[in-house]
Amino acid sequence: MVKIAMRPLILLLLSLVSLTAAAGDWPALRQLEKTGASVTALAFDLQSGRSLAAYNPQQRLNAASLTKLVLGAAALEAWEPERTLATELYGSGNLVQGRLEGSLILQGQADPTLEHRDLWLLAAQLRQAGVREVQGDLVVGTAPLGRPACETEDRCKFIARSDSSYAAPLSGIGVDYGSWCLDFSPALQPRHCSGVALPIPVDGRVEERGARNSAPLAVARSLTPEGERMLISGTLDPGSMQRVYRSMADPAGGTGQLLWQMLAELGVRVNGKIYLSAEALPANAWRLASVQGLPLREQLARMMRFSNNYIADVMTLKLAQEARPGPAPTLAQSATQLSALVVRARQALGDGAVIAPPLYSGSGLTPENALSARDLVAVLRAQYLNPRSFPAFYAGLVVPADSSGTRMREGSQAWLTRTAFKTGTMSEPHAVFGIGGYLRKQDGGWIALAVLVNGTPGQALNSRESLKYIRADVESLLARY
């Protein structure tokens, strides 16, 4: 009788089954790869701790806005979900019969979601405190982050002229995500969204749309030696209104200009000028007004759901500044903490020695950022296992049925209701599309999933096309599990 060692045989059979399954993983993405695209994909069962479907899971590709998943995890590791940041007004002199005998100082804590409503509240509290005149300057404090130099190509390019808001310069203080917010109506001069007059000059006019003139609305912000200007043209339908955001050239200066305008329209006169300062508050400063910003959980929801690059990179700088006392670090230096978090998550997954991924921003605006599907799944798994932070992290993801974009609302009922993702896209220097998030299994369990697709320069690969292939494979997983 021939004796057969059963344990080695069983292990061999299991490995053959695993290899056979792996060979059939992600069939649609394998077809997409044949067009020249690069793919990394992984689906990981969070109950059993095993890989369900993997394809090039270790290959690091341009991650675009999926970098924000790593940043969200880092923020929740450092701060409580309910943490808020204050923005305040201080006086540097005595208040005598409504006259502040010194300067008015706007000082914040680098709140990336400061809004024009917050400035209105500060201005109203100042008037309530009895201030009607400021003898000195309006000082805008930029500490603790100062006015960081631009480190991404888009941010540098859009300082001189901007026709969008996705690449606003970073700043220690900036209102409305470092952007001018404008409301347009036909045949009327635009106003700031806060209701006050726009505090920078406007060149051009918006006309009523008609048979003879139906040009689309065009809005650009330019920087001249005299300061920022808004350039407008085009038409709108009669009786309509349209809201537009355009990045500021200098968010700290623009915030000061907007607050100055609000104060003027409330009847508070500032006799001096707008002055930017990175210095600490003077010893004689006393608080006149204060607002608390949004809790961290809401900041992360806005950052991830709307892929807000300003929130992401100000938060990246803030994380590093609090972790390393001293001069404010650069964005690239700050992002090393995100790379370190990925390494820790991979090691917790049992991966041993891991090379840190190259990350140079939290937003993903830097095309040099690179992550693998396994990097992302490790971060997703770590958040799932953390009951303190997981609710806030998961709340930033979008269920396809609730997505504002039509491309995500296509697909099966399982895709629409049993998944929640963050997406990432980029067009230059090559096309990028990716998703990262969670699937709910039919038995109520959870799967962490990440997919990144990178095209080659010049390849005609749009995000809708990439999503079609991804969705086909994800729907197959949902049917299986």
Side-chain angles (χ1 to χ4, degrees), residues 33 38-40 55-61 371-373 375 452:
E33 191 180 50
S38 298
V39 174
T40 177
Y55 190 54
N56 303 328
Q58 305 275 13
Q59 183 177 8
R60 285 176 172 159
L61 300 174
L371 292 166
S372 69
D375 290 334
L452 276 168

Side-chain angles (χ1 to χ4, degrees), residues 164-176:
S164 70
S165 61
Y166 79 91
L170 305 179
S171 177
I173 190 165
V175 68
D176 295 329

Side-chain angles (χ1 to χ4, degrees), residues 97-108:
Q97 296 182 339
R99 180 188 178 96
L100 181 62
E101 295 179 336
S103 291
L104 182 65
I105 305 167
L106 175 66
Q107 184 65 56

Side-chain angles (χ1 to χ4, degrees), residues 194-270:
S194 62
V196 302
L198 192 66
I200 62 173
V202 176
D203 295 335
R205 186 177 175 85
V206 176
E207 304 289 350
E208 282 194 359
R209 184 166 295 150
R212 293 186 177 183
N213 187 2
S214 60
L217 177 66
V219 184
R221 189 270 309 145
S222 71
L223 180 62
T224 71
E226 291 75 34
E228 298 185 40
R229 305 182 73 86
M230 205 62 67
L231 313 175
I232 64 173
S233 64
T235 63
L236 288 173
D237 290 330
S240 66
M241 189 185 80
Q242 186 165 333
R243 178 161 289 185
V244 173
Y245 289 84
R246 291 293 180 263
S247 61
M248 296 172 170
D250 177 6
T255 301
Q257 288 176 283
L258 182 58
L259 179 58
W260 180 294
Q261 186 67 33
M262 290 176 173
L263 291 171
E265 296 195 20
L266 278 177
V268 178
R269 187 175 71 193
V270 179

Side-chain angles (χ1 to χ4, degrees), residues 231-391:
L231 313 175
I232 64 173
S233 64
T235 63
L236 288 173
D237 290 330
S240 66
M241 189 185 80
Q242 186 165 333
R243 178 161 289 185
V244 173
Y245 289 84
R246 291 293 180 263
S247 61
M248 296 172 170
D250 177 6
T255 301
Q257 288 176 283
L258 182 58
L259 179 58
W260 180 294
Q261 186 67 33
M262 290 176 173
L263 291 171
E265 296 195 20
L266 278 177
V268 178
R269 187 175 71 193
V270 179
N271 294 327
K273 298 179 179 180
I274 298 173
Y275 174 65
L276 306 184
S277 172
E279 302 298 321
L281 283 169
N284 66 337
W286 56 290
R287 188 168 59 194
L288 287 161
S290 179
V291 293
Q292 290 292 327
L294 298 173
L296 175 63
R297 56 178 170 74
E298 178 60 26
Q299 291 183 330
L300 292 178
R302 293 188 182 194
M303 178 190 75
M304 293 212 282
R305 285 176 171 266
F306 303 109
S307 214
N308 190 294
N309 297 318
Y310 181 85
I311 296 176
D313 284 336
V314 170
M315 195 175 285
T316 302
L317 291 168
K318 178 73 172 171
L319 276 168
Q321 179 267 325
E322 291 194 5
R324 313 171 189 168
T330 66
L331 182 60
Q333 290 168 341
S334 301
T336 60
Q337 67 198 317
L338 308 184
S339 300
L341 181 138
V342 172
V343 170
R344 293 195 299 274
R346 288 282 301 272
Q347 290 172 340
L349 195 55
D351 286 355
V354 177
I355 297 174
L359 297 177
Y360 303 96
S361 69
S363 65
L365 273 181
T366 41
E368 298 83 6
N369 278 17
L371 292 166
S372 69
R374 191 162 181 86
D375 290 334
L376 289 163
V377 161
V379 173
L380 291 165
R381 172 183 174 273
Q383 282 303 297
Y384 171 78
L385 294 175
N386 188 333
R388 180 187 71 86
S389 63
F390 185 61

